[in-house]
Amino acid sequence: MEKVSTGIPGFDEILHGGIPKRNVVLLAGGPGTGKSIFGYQYLYNGLLKNEACAFVALEEHPVQVRVSMSQFGWNVEPFEKKGKFALIDAFTSGIGEAAKREKYVVRADDFPMLVDVIKQAVRETGAERVVVDSVTTLYITKPMMARGTVLQLKKVLAGLGCTSILISQVSVTERGFGGPGVEHAVDGIVRLDLDEVGGELRRSIIVWKMRGTAHSMKRHPFEITDRGIFIKAGETSIVEQER
């Protein structure tokens, strides 16, 4: 099984080499857990390896996405100019002067058109890595469509040869993955958590499933630094022991 190295310190180690190629992974977590940063880091590491990438912005202005990435030293604009990075704007609906300069713009509430624009961007750039942030936006008012929506995205992205991360939002107390049945529609599930332990917030990550590879069954602590996410693959989170 060919694997894609995420380049995220510690993550490839707990996956025994990386994400199996063409897998669609659900990255679930509550607010402040680092989901978007994880997605940005995964894509930028791909760009550094000369792999074209695409990011679907459903919850943040594309200008802000670029700013957020640059705060970690991940400047994607040179890659955009070379046609190696596509930022798909499904947030602004083309409203605003900045939005008018975006190459790929689509309304988030038009799912068939969104799929078409994703296909276009992937084909034009040759994208091998795709991140959708967040997939929850597509069915938050229609939860019963969650599984079908994720399954359709999986068919499209895997069919195009992409190894993808679908970011899924959950509430602080929710123990699920952000939509009924979504866990059965994807190849992998990674959960990020932020728990209060002894009056201190602690971050942890656990891989619930990953088709095509063995993986760590433990919960591992991680940190967010000015260079991105760093997972302590050799440690087991204390949070796990206190749950």
Side-chain angles (χ1 to χ4, degrees), residues 74-241:
W74 307 328
N75 182 11
V76 294
E77 293 190 51
F79 296 97
E80 285 188 271
K81 290 175 182 175
K82 293 177 188 174
K84 299 287 287 184
F85 180 72
L87 207 168
I88 299 165
D89 174 13
F91 176 78
T92 68
S93 297
I95 299 171
E97 289 304 312
K100 291 175 184 175
R101 294 192 290 270
E102 297 297 330
K103 183 175 181 180
Y104 302 102
V105 182
V106 63
R107 291 174 60 93
D109 57 2
D110 189 342
F111 185 66
M113 184 59 71
L114 174 63
V115 169
D116 285 345
V117 173
I118 292 173
K119 287 180 180 177
Q120 178 192 354
V122 169
R123 286 171 177 154
E124 289 181 356
T125 59
E128 298 177 53
R129 303 185 184 206
V130 175
V131 170
V132 180
D133 188 5
S134 75
V135 70
T136 321
T137 307
L138 299 174
Y139 49 76
I140 194 165
T141 60
K142 307 169 190 172
M144 297 314 295
M145 294 180 65
R147 186 176 185 275
T149 299
V150 170
L151 194 57
Q152 191 170 344
L153 279 174
K154 175 187 170 182
K155 288 177 180 177
V156 169
L157 294 169
L160 290 168
C162 303
T163 306
S164 310
I165 292 176
L166 308 182
I167 293 174
S168 176
Q169 298 179 348
V170 296
S171 66
V172 174
T173 56
E174 186 181 347
R175 303 316 298 172
F177 303 107
V182 294
E183 64 270 23
H184 302 294
V186 291
D187 302 301
I189 300 173
V190 178
R191 170 92 188 207
L192 303 182
D193 285 293
L194 186 62
D195 293 279
E196 184 180 353
V197 180
E200 180 183 352
L201 288 174
R202 296 187 184 175
R203 303 182 189 276
S204 63
I205 183 171
I206 188 167
V207 178
W208 284 91
K209 78 169 185 178
M210 190 65 66
R211 289 183 187 136
T213 183
H215 58 83
S216 169
M217 302 295 286
K218 297 179 180 179
R219 180 178 294 277
H220 300 277
F222 75 91
E223 296 177 356
I224 298 176
T225 71
D226 59 1
R227 299 177 76 176
I229 286 173
F230 177 83
I231 298 166
K232 300 176 181 178
E235 299 180 21
T236 301
S237 176
I238 297 174
V239 174
E240 177 70 12
Q241 298 166 3

Side-chain angles (χ1 to χ4, degrees), residues 45-56:
N45 287 335
L47 292 172
L48 293 180
K49 295 177 67 178
N50 201 34
E51 296 177 15
C53 301
F55 182 86
V56 184

